[in-house]
Amino acid sequence: MSTTTPLMRQYLQIKSEYEDAILFFRLGDFYEMFLDDAVTASRVLGITLTSRNKGDKDAIPLCGIPYHSSQGYIAKLVGSGYKVAICEQVEDPKTAKGIVRREVVRVVTPGLVTDTDTLEPKENNYLLALVGDTASGYGLAHVDITTGEFRVTQLETTEKVVSELASLRPREILLPVEVEGDSLQQQFLRSLEGMLVNRLGDWEFETDRAFETIFNFFKCGSLQAFGCQDLPQAIRAAGGLLSYLQRTQMDDLRHIRNLTTYHTRDHMVLDEATRRNLELTATLQDGRKKGSLLGVLDRTVTAMGGRLLRQWIHYPLIDRNRITRRQDALEVLLDDSLGRFDLSEALDGIYDLERLNGKISMASANAKDIVALRDSLQRLPRIDELLRDRKSELLQSLRDGIDLLPELVAEISRALVDDPPFVLRDGGIIRDGYNSELDELRGMSREGKGWIARLEQQEKARTGISAMKVKYNRVFGYFLEVPRRFSEDLPADYQRKQTLANAERFITPALKEYEEKVLGAEERLVELEYELFQEVRKKTSEQGARIQQTANMLAQLDALLSLADLAHDRQYVRPLIDDKDVLVIEGGRHPVVEQMNLQEPFVPNDVQLDLQENQILIITGPNMAGKSTFMRQVALITLMAQMGSFVPADKARIGVVDRIFTRVGASDNLAKGESTFMVEMNETANILRHATSKSLLILDEIGRGTSTFDGVSIAWSVAEFLHDNKEIAAKTLFATHYHELTDLCLTRKRIKNYNIAVKEWNDQIIFLRKIVAGGASRSYGIQVGRLAGLPQPVIDRAKEILHNLEAGEFSRENEPRIGRSKTQAAPKFNPQLALFSSNDDPLRERLTLVDVSRTTPLEALSLLDELKKLL
């Protein structure tokens, strides 16, 4: 470093503190990157790589981007998994002595993106910290820095951690750097795919330090108010996360005002497989929102409402009172279609208050953001009026929680113009009349420009040179430009400044004096406007807690309106919610499938599950008939009911469910070396270990990943276990192609058989999509193959083989029947003798010694036992 320039010494010093980040080093109007950062950034961003001291053997790689368009470049680097450290000039170059002082003002990582334009509006962007082990439990804390949401929990099992990771889908994970972190990364390797994993020093997660960090951040002396005082692992995670935030953001993060402790026992538990199989927020095939449950339910008009609705789907309620409160609110909204429309219209013009509040608190909001906040707040009185006298406890609590903030609306309206520029330093932000000094400077600036115009006319008259012009540039300021042919006969007070090919440039004492006055006024004008804007932004930031509370109320209202609007359009009904172990649905429909543009109308179905007579329903029928759709719709209707939503059915009664488990589909996990069958068995084992009598189980084709006999055995045993074990006697829908399982109802009283009705016609089948009592006698696999387009010769041959199999495994000639064909000659049976086998056959030799006519029944039995032992 001693041999480099002062600038490079400064760069290398700062870079040494952020070695794992690409350093955006501010130089005037550009962010510059050097050395390895430049090589990486030029490749990822597709920008030109050049160098300082080009041509020298010690040339330094260099690339740069304009600072005013940096957000897109930062987003691209972060999206590619890199960290970006933003290094700004923190003193005015005009007043700096020597090299301008620079500091890193924030670090941008995937979990710490603050530019909301690059984020999905209706999705949270979480940073998450994870600590702990199986012995003492796991602590999990997550924050969305754009909204200020900060939540923490403590979990007992790895399964619950995986479930939370699947629900939250954080962009970035913080782990301890030592053994504990290695263990966590190994345990949750699959769940961490696609996330940036950062390692922090173990000391940042130490319990005592975590307590101190939280106390200092929230300026409190106890965690009692946060509800996590007895959760040591949760405290460790929260402390480590806060430490990382403070080190990377260099901001007091005032919009993070609360630490919310939540417990998975307060919500229905949904494991990773269930979220995936039920396609709650993304489809299995392409991971898109459209085609998922969220894609159907989400009619929200605000980003914050959309984020909350997604959270409701991932965390269905189990508290019957809370569910009923939401239902009551939906009923009130449903009964007043005009009022519901007016509320949605009023909400539709409200911006994302949560993220606006975050930007304002972090001092990254521009004038347009403040005006957007004001425009949003101006809509609140209308919402307050529309919610008045609504006979719903929840709606009235939302109305009470909405703070109209009239004094803030008035202040912003008085201070800022209606359509301010994007760039704060361009001026034109503050209204006339807001500040007397600003008004005076503006008058001076406008008058000065008029004076310049009048001066030009005066000098033309004085010199008689009509081609004279008063001009301006940054080097000379204002000057008089005269054609060269007139430059010799000018007044004595003209001072020559520059000679051009066809003109001469002059200044006069009067022009320079007024120039200093005008330019000084304009410079002070821009500076004062910026200072005044910062004051307005600070005043707005001071109301952050009130804005945040209002945003939360509006998000809940928006989510409720979305569910009410859907219920009205699709004729959903209010389900009866109770604590009984009964689940009854009449005329139930799949909320997603019924909206698809299918060639046939959706057929509703009924179901009854209880723990007295209908605990396990064995469902048989051909592929494509609708078994999986039926089972999934039962699970989704249950989940929607416990969200507080109305449901797609004619009538429904839902006994509160603590968990929904699904074992659906076939997939392998090559990363862990697990076959399809192993994945199936892992998921089944997880269900049998954690299901309770309050759970709902969706089991589709248990045992199909192995041989038929093994598969039947496992499926039969699983069904028996679920029936006979009182602690795990869960309500279960069990779809299968193993018709042998229909015999379970003969030995277990709470197992019933149902099948998907089909009609045969001209050797074809028609799916009736109706669930009826009884087991199916056939699987109709060949007919389904025909529907799928298998060639006719394949269909015909399959029928022959099926007939052969049904007649028995071997013919009288001891030939395999499966190989027989009407059109093909059977190969001559010619068994090959084993190379080392004896020609003697003990069984045959013993039988030749038997005289059947003289053998008594007792001797025959004894002989049979002997032959069996020989075999």
Side-chain angles (χ1 to χ4, degrees), residues 13 70 91 129 204 306 502 533 550 562 664 673-674 769 795 811 854 871:
Q13 177 62 48
S70 62
E91 64 177 335
E204 296 194 66
N502 299 311
F533 170 75
T550 297
S562 177
V664 178
E674 294 176 351
R769 313 294 187 193
I795 297 295
S811 67
R854 295 184 179 183
L871 181 63

Side-chain angles (χ1 to χ4, degrees), residues 562-583:
S562 177
L563 295 178
D565 192 50
L566 177 67
H568 175 269
D569 289 355
R570 305 302 302 185
Q571 297 181 325
Y572 287 5
V573 300
R574 176 173 180 165
L576 171 64
I577 304 293
D578 58 33
D579 294 321
K580 307 295 184 184
D581 293 317
V582 176
L583 191 156

Side-chain angles (χ1 to χ4, degrees), residues 243-255:
S243 178
Y244 181 73
L245 282 179
Q246 291 172 321
R247 189 170 67 254
T248 56
Q249 298 309 294
M250 295 77 177
D251 185 87
D252 58 10
L253 301 168
R254 283 175 292 177
H255 64 301

Side-chain angles (χ1 to χ4, degrees), residues 6-7 9-11 13-14 17 23-28 30-31 86-105 250:
L7 179 72
R9 282 200 298 273
Q10 184 186 55
Y11 170 84
Q13 177 62 48
I14 296 172
E17 299 172 14
L23 185 64
F24 273 34
F25 191 73
R26 181 73 176 270
L27 281 173
F30 285 82
Y31 285 122
I86 310 297
C87 181
E88 295 286 3
Q89 297 174 172
V90 293
E91 64 177 335
D92 189 343
K94 295 177 182 177
T95 59
K97 294 181 179 179
I99 192 165
V100 176
R101 189 162 57 89
R102 293 176 175 85
E103 293 177 1
V104 170
V105 296
M250 295 77 177

Side-chain angles (χ1 to χ4, degrees), residues 730-742:
K731 297 181 286 291
T732 304
L733 297 176
F734 198 130
T736 184
H737 282 293
Y738 296 143
H739 296 146
E740 295 86 350
L741 297 188
T742 58

Side-chain angles (χ1 to χ4, degrees), residues 95 141 148 207 228 299 489 625 662 711 749 846:
T95 59
T207 304
C228 60
R299 297 188 175 191
D489 301 321
T662 64
K749 68 175 184 178
R846 181 67 185 87

Side-chain angles (χ1 to χ4, degrees), residues 124-127 142-151 168 241 255-260 262 307 311 315 354 548:
N124 285 102
N125 191 69
Y126 288 126
L127 167 71
H142 63 271
V143 67
D144 184 339
I145 195 174
T146 67
T147 66
E149 177 188 341
F150 186 19
R151 301 170 75 220
L168 299 170
L241 189 149
H255 64 301
I256 302 176
R257 292 177 169 83
N258 189 32
L259 174 60
T260 303
Y262 70 103
R307 290 193 297 270
Q311 195 174 100
Y315 295 95
E354 289 179 329
Q548 201 167 47

